Amino acid sequence: MTRGRRLLAVALVVAASLVAGTALTAAVSLSGGFERAASRADLPDLIVRFRGRPRAEVSERLDALPNVEATQYRTEFNDVFLRGGSGSTGRGAVHFVGPGRRGYAILRGRDLRGRGEAVVEAGVAREWGLAPGDPLSVGDRGGSLRVVGIGLSPDNVAFPLARAARIYVSRDEFPGLRVDVAMAWLADPSRADVTLAQARAVSFGLEDVRFVTRDGVRILIGQAAGIVIALLVAFSLVAVTTAGIMLGASARSEVARRLPSIGVQRAVGFSRAAVVREQAVRAAALAAPGAATGLGAGALAMHGAADRLLAALNELGPGAALVWWLLAAWLAIVALVAAASAWPVWRATREPISALLRGGELAVGRRPRRPLRAAAGSRASGAHGDRFRPSAGGGLAVLGARLASARRARWAATVAVLGAASATLVLLLALASLLVALRDDPSTVGKRYALTANLSPSAVRDVERIPGVEKAAERTSVEASAAFSLGQPLRLVGFERGADDFESPPLAEGRRRRADDEAEVGVGLADALGLRPGSPLVVALPGGREGRFRVTGLVRALDNDGRIAYVREERLDALGAFGSTNVAVRLKPGADRAAVSRGLQRLGARPSEATAATTRNRDFLGVLATVLRIVALSVGLVCLLVLAQALVLTARERRPTLALLRTIGAGRGAMARVLGGACAVVLVPAVVLGVALEVLVLGPVVSSLAAGYAGLSLDPSAGHLALAAGGLAILGAGAVALVGRRVEREAVVAGLREEA
Amino acid sequence: MTRACLAAVAVATTAILAGCGIRDRDPAIPGSTLRATIADPDGDGSLSRGPGEPLLDRTELAPRRRGPFREVARFGQLTDTHVRDEESPARVPFLDRLGPPVTSTFRPQEALSPQVLAAAVRALDAERPQAVLATGDLIDNAQRNELDQLIAILDGGQVDPDSGARGYRGVQQASNPDGFFYRPGLDAPRHPGLLGRAQERFFSTGLRAPWYAALGNHDLLVQGELPPSEATDAIATGDEALLRYDPQLRDLLDELPRTADPSPDLADVPQEAIERLLAHGVPGRRTHVPPDANRRGLRFAELAARLHDAGTPAPQGDRLDYTFDVGAQLRVVVLDTVNRAGGAAGVIGADQVAFLRRALAASGERAVVVVDHHGLERTQGGGAALALLDRDADVIAELSGDTHRHAIRPRRTPAGGFWQITTASLADWPQQSRMLRLVTAPDGSRALETWVVDQAGGIRGGDLAGIGRELAFLDAQGGRPNGFTGRREDRNARLWLAPPPPR
């Protein structure tokens, strides 16, 4: 193998490993972030919030619950003025914590030991540049605390994604404080339902009681980025798989090229096993450094971005555990390349040595032997018959295409690699569009209104009088849980009668709601509770009351992980279910959103745009962009290298033909047309294959892995296809230019001598 | 030979299959906690079988002696069985929402009280007592149909736990939107169909030994508080039930006239005020329920007569005070401590003290166990009775219930002292009864051995008594958080006694 060819093969392994490294790092980092943080922070299994009560009264009830291993109590003060380092806010959240298990992790410094100390949440410390030892001013009167530690708790996203800047202070500061948060660690978290049922029974008399389990917290955090992370993780898993396909196919292609030399080895007496072993070792030796480089580069490129994303969510990266994953991936890649190289050799060496010496194609399945001989024959005729005859056979481009596709097995392998790469590219574009839509377009989560306003329901008619407003409706959202299974959180969204269509995700089964006691439930909730149209939905409301609804339909809702039920506002009212209420505003087509917002402000409201499924936080989105950019770059690099390899091989093998063409006057343009044809013959079917792969396999797989309950569409648009095809065409042009220059540099005589 | 082989194979196969069945179905476990206990060793809220608890020697009253010992009396104690008609309109299951001291007016396992008692009877029978003392609160709401169930279970025969129309109608129905009640069809741990099964008739094997009842407040007073009256009968036999809590109730109860020294229960509220309250109706939305005339409240005469028919001696006037012997060397004196005027606390009058004096005098050389529901220390007027016991060297124990808690305390007296023993209920965790055995040695040394007995419900078998125990254990107002199992030495112990006085 020449040095250049070896370098090209290594570069391909590097590029594919780069995709694998990037994707693997993203998948490993993002998929377990919450669990890692929850585990390190010792997040309680059960969090109960209520209006302040004496600690003894609450602890008497909590201690009586079964399955409780430990308890802790807090008092939370919100909207406290905080100033420290380079920042300040009037939205400080001061949590007074008791001794014992805390429910947060100390990342730097130490935990609270006494008065005058504070542990600052990591997001606040990052944003304001705080470190242990720094002073922190609390309250309007400027009470001073000293930061002793930087903490992290995944029960909320980090500041500034969360609006409140959170600090922890010892309850010793104010020992008589009433508590308003109780936390419990369970001996067996899988039996949380039993504990919750008893907790509800003894919670009578506490006001505004809300239970949140670890699962509930995870869903709550997921509001910010859950679906995005799920999509990225799913995408990464698919990308790792396609990287494997690329590596396998390219290794197979490399073997095809070496068949004659394998024939020589067999002719001089090497056994099949020895030949295969030698091929596997050679491939492994080639892949090992490349895979290590690619995986390392991918991991390095992704690591920082993933860590920033996790930090924004108050979650933790995998740390050293990632190294083990990468090591496993490295071994898998090397084994894959070795196996993909050894297996075709093993199969090819079944052929007679004479056929191998003629450079026969690899045996494929149980095909008759004829193509092997025919291929050899066509090669011979190609060598002598592919003369410069522009008028016959469709010109130079067609000639190039014929030259490139003459080796069918290698052509198929190249098309497979490029197909997988282009499928990944198309998927990437579709994913990017979906993420933008999830961020900006409320209709992706079934919301058919543009604005919300914090107005009382009585203002609905006034809102409708604002020019540009088509309709307004009261919207109430209540965080509740399933009465059957109190550990299952869910959200009730109520719209007043006649405004059911304000929020209506696609119907998956059944029908829309028509009566006050009917509900459409998200597929996520239906799956969790085993609901079907006709089933009763029994909901435990804050405060202990229950609401009962009949499920009429299942909807593909994305909001709240699909754990959502759409009901009538009137029914929520009747049940005394208090939640957050605002007015949803639907605009007329072409209405000026800014003008409507001003109109709402005149009514005393603070209008906000209807939210879609993800946050609009700039930093957060920046991280996402980085992730996608790195993967796109890696895939692009793979495409470029594969194309270059295909063209170089074609040019190398067809050297006499190309020399002859140049002898009879073919210039740079003619050469470009020949190579362009060779490029197109792999690129066009690869794009078709890629699109088919994306639409039929990758898109549905990613969608289903990320949010099977929501039925997200990752079908590419015409724009995506044009962009992917254009991008690949540019890469192809680049490869043609690179190889063309190389062909030009070669002496014509050398090529002709080879022919002779 | 062949036939013998076949028979042997059949027997072996049957034994193996039976063995497999035992493992699979986790059938009733033997009740004696000397052999095995039921506990939650890892604190996760699920029960499993643990090691047995051998007898601990308690020498607070007398030193330990060496045998050989001879058993002279062996008897059991069942207490606070609270067999209840949980569908009765005369119940107020939501009242515990008023908070302490009103607690446990609703229990998640309350529909299973007959099955739990039947399982306790089976377990106690296995211990082969000569007699069984049923020390009060045997039924829950002083209703005739509750007494029917109790007697059927203890005597043996078919038991009908249902009342009103067939099937369960009450606060635990899945259709009840009040999440503060445990509804087995909905809430964890889910037991769909449990309530229907709980209403089905079943057969009780009954106690093989004679049983003797001491009265508790729940046996004679509505909800253990109110003397039955025409008004309470009308509610109990009526077709309207208050199943939902109304916040006005708290105000109304706060406004009830009370004496200067208010007690946590309603004992200090004049009867007329309560009658007035009932006549006007307790606030809250009423629900229609199928009526049942057999829910009528029991009066003393009827109760005593029914118990007498079942083997309990006849009352002394209007109090169910009596004596009986267990074997030749043990006499049991039973005292009726129920306050006929109402209220959960016990009371004992001068006539009863006189009866006690006569009974002690008549006991001769026999050892004496005094039985009452409330415990004389906690009973109004109990001081005088205790003074009698303190002076009598033959008194070896006072056996009571009411607290729902296992406890054994020595009472040191100039005469040598005796043991005060209370036993847990079947209404709450740990749903255990107690066995006692008086042993003596030729030199006059004696000890009272006692051990507690689990009811025979399975741990994971899905039988009703087993589910009843599981729910009782989980109950956040019940015996687990309140420590009703007591200390280790309150359960299985050998209680050493001073030798009897020389005659």
Side-chain angles (χ1 to χ4, degrees), chain B residues 34-265:
Chain B
L34 293 172
R35 290 190 292 269
T37 51
I38 297 171
D40 176 17
D42 43 9
D44 65 354
S46 58
L47 295 169
S48 58
R49 202 178 303 189
E53 292 183 342
L55 298 179
L56 285 179
D57 283 304
R58 293 194 58 176
T59 56
E60 292 97 318
L61 296 181
R64 183 181 170 178
R65 302 289 178 90
R66 290 191 180 279
F69 288 96
R70 185 172 64 90
E71 177 182 294
V72 296
R74 184 183 181 98
F75 56 103
Q77 183 196 10
L78 279 168
T79 190
D80 296 84
T81 55
H82 287 273
V83 171
R84 68 181 61 190
D85 171 11
E86 73 285 353
E87 301 172 273
S88 170
R91 305 187 60 80
V92 272
F94 47 76
L95 216 56
D96 49 13
R97 294 178 203 177
L98 298 173
V102 185
T103 56
S104 291
T105 53
F106 167 79
R107 290 179 171 89
Q109 70 279 13
E110 65 180 23
L112 304 170
S113 58
Q115 290 83 0
V116 168
L117 175 58
V121 162
R122 290 200 300 277
L124 211 51
D125 257 347
E127 301 298 309
R128 303 193 171 282
Q130 293 167 274
V132 173
L133 311 174
T135 54
D137 284 359
L138 306 178
I139 56 178
D140 192 64
N141 203 34
Q143 286 182 198
R144 186 184 285 175
N145 60 342
E146 292 177 340
L147 184 65
D148 291 344
Q149 291 180 46
L150 174 85
I151 291 173
I153 295 166
L154 296 184
D155 277 354
Q158 194 173 64
V159 183
D160 183 2
D162 207 355
S163 68
R166 294 308 310 173
Y168 179 85
R169 310 278 175 90
V171 293
Q172 292 189 273
Q173 277 178 283
S175 57
N176 183 12
D178 189 340
F180 289 97
F181 293 116
Y182 166 70
R183 296 147 305 172
L186 284 185
D187 302 324
R190 285 184 76 190
H191 292 289
L194 178 76
L195 297 171
R197 287 167 60 204
Q199 305 310 313
E200 290 169 6
R201 292 189 181 96
F202 66 95
F203 186 81
S204 168
T205 53
L207 285 165
R208 280 197 289 265
W211 57 276
Y212 300 89
L215 293 188
N217 49 308
H218 281 265
D219 300 319
L220 262 180
L221 305 174
V222 176
Q223 292 279 292
E225 295 279 352
L226 299 175
S229 64
E230 290 305 315
T232 58
D233 280 348
I235 293 170
T237 57
D239 61 358
E240 285 187 333
L242 263 181
L243 302 182
R244 295 188 188 181
Y245 173 74
D246 189 318
Q248 282 182 26
L249 182 61
R250 175 178 283 279
D251 302 334
L252 211 67
L253 291 176
D254 286 346
E255 287 165 12
L256 282 175
R258 294 196 175 231
T259 57
D261 181 21
S263 68
D265 53 30

Side-chain angles (χ1 to χ4, degrees), chain B residues 404-464:
Chain B
H404 292 206
R405 181 191 302 268
H406 289 310
I408 301 177
R409 290 180 300 123
R411 184 172 173 92
R412 294 183 178 85
T413 68
F418 60 92
W419 295 93
Q420 291 179 302
I421 301 170
T422 63
T423 298
S425 71
L426 294 185
D428 289 314
W429 168 258
Q431 295 192 335
Q432 289 171 328
S433 48
R434 187 182 286 279
M435 277 298 297
L436 301 104
R437 194 169 89 109
L438 179 62
V439 293
T440 61
D443 66 352
S445 316
R446 53 187 185 166
L448 187 61
E449 293 180 348
T450 179
W451 62 97
V452 296
V453 179
D454 282 309
Q455 53 107 329
I459 298 176
R460 281 178 292 274
D463 64 294
L464 296 179

Side-chain angles (χ1 to χ4, degrees), chain A residues 40 104-112 118-134 147-152:
Chain A
R40 176 143 177 218
Y104 57 75
I106 296 294
L107 301 181
R108 275 185 293 151
R110 61 166 175 82
D111 202 354
L112 302 167
V119 165
V120 177
E121 193 213 41
V124 182
R126 217 170 22 244
E127 198 69 10
W128 293 356
L130 287 171
D134 289 348
V147 176
V148 295
I150 308 301
L152 174 137

Side-chain angles (χ1 to χ4, degrees), chain A residues 635-660:
Chain A
V635 172
L637 197 60
V638 169
C639 289
L640 183 66
L641 290 171
V642 168
L643 279 168
Q645 188 191 42
L647 293 181
V648 164
L649 281 175
T650 305
R652 175 71 191 85
E653 285 166 2
R654 307 299 175 170
R655 217 167 152 194
T657 310
L658 296 179
L660 198 61

